[in-house]
Amino acid sequence: MKTELSERFGVEYPIFVFTPSEKVAAAVTRAGGLGVLGCVRFNDPDELDNVLSWMDANTDGKPYGVDVVMPSKIPTEGSAVDIDKLIPQAHRDFVAKTLADLGVPPLPEEGEHNTGVLGWLHSVARSHVEVALRHPIKLIANALGSPPNDVIEQVHEAGVPVAALAGSAKHALSHVANGVDIVIAQGQEAGGHTGEIGSVVLWPEIVDAVDGKAAVLAAGGIGSGRQLAAALALGAQGVWMGSAFLTAAEYDLGVRRESGASVIQEALLNATSADTVRRKIYSGKPARILKSRWTDAWDAPDAPEALPMPLQNILVGEAHQRMSLSDDPTAVAMPVGQIVGRMNEIRPAADIIAELVSGFEEATKRLDGIAGS
């Protein structure tokens, strides 16, 4: 399975995997794909630096990338304390009452309390880029589209290509005009920030729109080799995955249960493809997340409207931490795509990659038989 993009990056398979877990990212890279570490959870640049040093030592010299969250327009922002003051008390009261109603325990007195993921702030995202470029990364992706022009220039000067997510052909063309090298065409089935156009419609639309001026990765609803084959058949040079690797054995975020799965993973294992919702309550921008008692509370008639980014994440940051440390899989806040219905077991990332490859080979063999009949 070779494409121009896989050969450019020197990977065995054109499978790019976004994950917040460095252990999953490293495992994907070692298995022949390209692991992409999400940086948004790192409030402290030094912590990110340490994690990337770990990646350097645990990827067998194979390529990996990072993903940042940075709007193309530079916002006016104060300190985290200044921004925190902009959150209405009524929203704070709603979150506190909801957590109490859900029975989510407070955080232990010892340990760090999350007052919001500062990686959503433009200034912190810039520090992520600067730290990442001190390591042998091979890709920087931006979850919010094109980074600012000076950041694209900075990354290109370091010899690193830039990727950006797009939910429409219009967005894709804007990315190309800004100098983005790879467009990630993300259909609405995807987890996290996503648009409103379905993958099978969006992928060829963006491929045709960019017309070879940038490589295209297909994203949204990919969890099998058949879907990988479909993406390549529709003109993509590879796939961008995320949700399917949340149940990887290496995923180490959240509290583990006796079964070996984390609370979040147990919630994912029990979900169907109908158990996601697209809401602004996770970050302030539309994002697909797992349906739970937490999302139900925000859908209630008396719930407030979500705040804009980054205020919403600062509002719910500690709530997310409390739920991830609790022992209740019905009260979680987790971005995940509709492919969650296929995520039925915990297994190593290498096994997920191997199944994708074998499924792709079976699908293409079947198509060859149809074409030759």
Side-chain angles (χ1 to χ4, degrees), residues 15-30:
I15 301 172
F16 294 64
V17 176
F18 162 82
T19 173
S21 166
E22 65 271 18
K23 293 182 180 178
V24 174
V28 166
T29 286
R30 293 195 302 268

Side-chain angles (χ1 to χ4, degrees), residues 70-144:
M70 180 182 291
S72 60
K73 295 181 179 179
I74 302 174
T76 300
E77 61 181 43
S79 67
V81 174
D82 293 334
I83 294 174
D84 187 70
K85 293 178 180 178
L86 299 177
I87 297 175
Q89 186 60 43
H91 280 70
R92 298 183 190 277
D93 293 342
F94 172 80
V95 169
K97 181 180 183 301
T98 299
L99 291 174
D101 291 344
L102 296 178
V104 178
L107 294 173
E109 292 185 7
E110 67 278 4
E112 182 180 351
H113 289 199
N114 186 350
T115 56
V117 178
L118 301 183
W120 299 106
L121 299 182
H122 189 89
S123 56
V124 177
R126 279 181 175 268
S127 74
H128 291 162
V129 172
E130 292 168 1
V131 169
L133 292 178
R134 297 203 293 264
H135 295 264
I137 61 164
K138 300 303 179 185
L139 176 70
I140 286 186
N142 185 27
L144 294 183

Side-chain angles (χ1 to χ4, degrees), residues 244-303:
F245 288 82
L246 292 173
T247 50
E250 295 87 352
Y251 190 88
D252 59 343
L253 304 179
V255 175
R256 292 282 173 182
R257 310 192 87 188
E258 291 184 3
S259 64
S262 69
V263 173
I264 289 174
Q265 286 178 322
E266 188 163 312
L268 297 173
L269 293 172
N270 292 329
T272 72
S273 57
D275 291 328
T276 68
V277 292
R278 185 171 172 270
R279 301 286 188 271
K280 294 183 179 181
I281 64 173
Y282 190 80
S283 69
K285 287 184 176 291
R288 186 171 299 284
I289 59 179
L290 188 68
K291 190 177 187 298
S292 69
R293 293 195 295 143
W294 169 254
T295 63
D296 289 344
W298 281 91
D299 284 342
D302 61 341

